[in-house]
Amino acid sequence: MKNVLFVCLGNICRSPMAEAIFRDLVEREQLTEAFHIDSAGTAGWHKGERPHRGTLAKLAEYDISTDGMYSRPLTQHDRDAFDYFVCMDDSNVENTRRIVGEEKEVIRLLDLADNALTEVPDPYYTGDFEETYQLCLDGCSHLLQKLKKA
Ligand code: 4NP
């Protein structure tokens, strides 16, 4: 079992987008049993909330499920429950390291992609959820290829 946690700041825009896309890719390859997939935010401001309406609308547009997804904060418990912490930007990496320590694999989603960007811009501020979708799809496709070999 590979335990993958996507991390952003609020856990309502980017990491739920990546979580839903990654789960969809894993289901398409019939690998559901091999993965435990979740997402969390380094801040708990939106705890208990559904993903942002922009993330919900974009995922609905691509026919990807968001069932059962609610915002939650990253906690020290996640250190034991997950192997891979896949972050959206540099500040997520810094904050995740502070919470889960140095031993775990904390990576940036776009480090795996063929994109010049290293951070997923935050659509909470840019309003561009299509950009978020495309970047998350690129990163998640590469992440799945990597983890299938791991
Ligand atoms: P996310 O975006 O980290 O991609 O979920 C944000 C969501 C909420 C806030 C900032 C970023 N906020 O300031 O409430």
Side-chain angles (χ1 to χ4, degrees):
M1 175 74 83
K2 297 189 172 88
N3 302 290
V4 183
L5 186 69
F6 293 94
V7 181
C8 66
L9 176 62
N11 190 217
I12 55 169
C13 296
R14 294 165 296 171
S15 60
M17 184 85 87
E19 176 193 347
I21 290 171
F22 190 70
R23 183 175 291 113
D24 185 63
L25 293 173
V26 163
E27 280 173 11
R28 282 167 193 271
E29 297 211 21
Q30 301 185 332
L31 293 170
T32 308
E33 305 298 309
F35 285 92
H36 169 211
I37 304 162
D38 198 1
S39 66
T42 58
W45 307 320
H46 296 277
K47 187 175 173 186
E49 292 177 22
R50 291 279 287 147
H52 190 284
R53 65 183 180 282
T55 290
L56 292 175
K58 188 52 68 180
L59 289 167
E61 187 183 322
Y62 287 99
D63 206 19
I64 295 174
S65 172
T66 54
D67 287 355
M69 294 174 62
Y70 295 91
S71 175
R72 72 167 183 89
L74 179 69
T75 70
Q76 293 198 347
H77 171 75
D78 292 311
R79 176 178 41 216
D80 304 320
F82 292 93
D83 311 307
Y84 302 95
F85 296 82
V86 184
C87 297
M88 300 299 132
D89 64 32
D90 292 346
S91 72
N92 305 152
V93 169
E94 206 174 298
N95 290 322
T96 299
R97 281 245 168 267
R98 203 159 41 229
I99 295 167
V100 307
E102 296 297 322
E103 286 86 51
K104 289 297 178 132
E105 187 155 355
V106 180
I107 59 176
R108 290 185 301 198
L109 180 66
L110 294 186
D111 284 344
L112 304 165
D114 302 320
N115 200 289
L117 288 178
T118 57
E119 304 182 283
V120 180
D122 196 336
Y124 191 78
Y125 304 110
T126 68
D128 191 347
F129 287 85
E130 175 63 21
E131 175 187 54
T132 313
Y133 174 83
Q134 295 298 341
L135 291 171
C136 287
L137 178 59
D138 189 9
C140 284
S141 303
H142 285 85
L143 177 64
L144 183 54
Q145 294 317 309
K146 170 186 157 91
L147 295 186
K148 274 163 68 177
K149 290 182 216 139

